Amino acid sequence: MKVLSMLLAGLTVGYAVSDIRPSYSLLSRTAEFGSFWAIVNGLTVVALVACAAAVALARASARAVTVVAIAAVLVVVFQTVGTVPGMVGDWAVAVGAGALLGSAAVLSGQHRAAQASLSVAVLGAGLLGGALDAVLQANDGPVFVWDVVGAEDDVRPQRAIAMVIIASVAAIALFLAHRNQVLQPHEPRKVLLVGLPLPIAAGVLSWIAAGHEPRSGEWLGAFAGMTVLALIAAFALPGRDGRVLLALFAGSAAALGSFGFAAGDSAQLAASVGLLIVGAGIGYRWPQLYVGLGGLFVVAVAQVLESQFDLPESAQFVLPLVTAYVLVSALSTAPGSLALSLPALFTMALPVTVFAASYVPSLSSDVAVAARTTEPDHLVLSVAGLVVVVVVTGACALLRRR
């Protein structure tokens, strides 16, 4: 039941995160991705609240932590079904998802299976939630969510139904599994010294990189800065806890050349989910962090070759398995470090310009059309990811000596 509760809590957090766009400022609705105000977005707030909640709640009783977790689940659900609209709702879902992540990390303790369930669920739902929405767009006819909030509200019925079901079962499982649990010793407050500046600094680097092509000096400089930031944070965490952060950052870097997991249709989505589960299972049974990092190295090398010789992309089909394996192999860790590290895959990924739209007048009318002018340099992205995987592997080797 403890593992199931963490799995469902992670799905709730991840599915909420998949609906949060890094360019949506929580301070100004008119802010664009390159705007300074876009630094304060939903993902940043999730990361900040998760870290603060994990450290604060570690000093509370298990019953109090469970109450916070269930309350956070309800906040996320209310926003999903349109009960809390507008910017207030955007803040509510970000704070709720962060509080749920922080409290779930505390409730997982150092139970490796619970941590693995929480981590892989957040990872999978966060990256594949948008694709799942597309699969759910199937039914015609009346849907109960429309009857509840009205069609004028910007609510996707399928997402709301899925979230209500997952969150309801999650709340029940959290109560049953943790009502009599005894928590682990307190989290050190110095985790806050890492977890609070980290997403803000990552947001600044993302802001610098926004609008620049990957081959530009600004983008590469921001990526180098993000790598340094990840290394500093990993070594500032106690003991070997920073390995989880480094593993997730390495997975994000290795995904640069392929633009993430394969989830273009139902079959690819099912395959990605299946590979995530298989990778997590293998990592739990035979955890070998350096084997996993070696797998990311192979993926990055394959992407370099694919970008050079116009080979069909295969890395995106392997990434779910390898990333889940690396993540689970890096566990177990302290709850505060886990809550700090899990949002890193979303907050520490630099934006990549897919194309620069230049508006030119149409010959047949006065309507402007967008013309595709540039594409990302896949070779630059792949080589940058390869270098980061090598650097992270060396950093993990140094952490091992602690």
Side-chain angles (χ1 to χ4, degrees), residues 138-222:
N139 298 326
D140 294 325
V143 182
F144 83 92
V145 176
W146 293 118
D147 299 329
V148 173
V149 299
E152 69 277 7
D153 294 313
D154 185 17
V155 174
R156 283 168 287 178
Q158 292 83 358
R159 167 176 280 268
I161 292 172
M163 181 63 88
V164 167
I165 294 173
I166 294 171
S168 300
V169 181
I172 296 171
L174 283 166
F175 173 76
L176 293 177
H178 305 286
R179 63 188 186 278
N180 297 318
Q181 180 179 344
V182 177
L183 297 182
Q184 301 291 327
H186 296 171
E187 285 291 294
R189 288 181 177 172
K190 70 177 182 179
V191 171
L192 292 175
L193 299 178
V194 181
L196 298 186
L198 181 63
I200 298 174
V204 172
L205 292 173
S206 295
W207 167 60
I208 293 172
H212 294 98
E213 296 182 9
R215 65 173 69 91
S216 68
E218 292 87 350
W219 195 95
L220 292 173

Side-chain angles (χ1 to χ4, degrees), residues 193-254:
L193 299 178
V194 181
L196 298 186
L198 181 63
I200 298 174
V204 172
L205 292 173
S206 295
W207 167 60
I208 293 172
H212 294 98
E213 296 182 9
R215 65 173 69 91
S216 68
E218 292 87 350
W219 195 95
L220 292 173
F223 191 49
M226 195 76 81
T227 304
V228 172
L229 188 65
L231 294 175
I232 293 174
F235 280 92
L237 290 173
R240 301 178 183 178
D241 290 348
R243 297 191 310 171
V244 178
L245 175 63
L246 291 178
L248 287 168
F249 184 66
S252 175

Side-chain angles (χ1 to χ4, degrees), residues 31-45:
E32 298 179 354
F33 196 74
S35 168
F36 178 81
W37 301 111
I39 294 171
V40 183
N41 57 64
L43 294 178
T44 302
V45 173

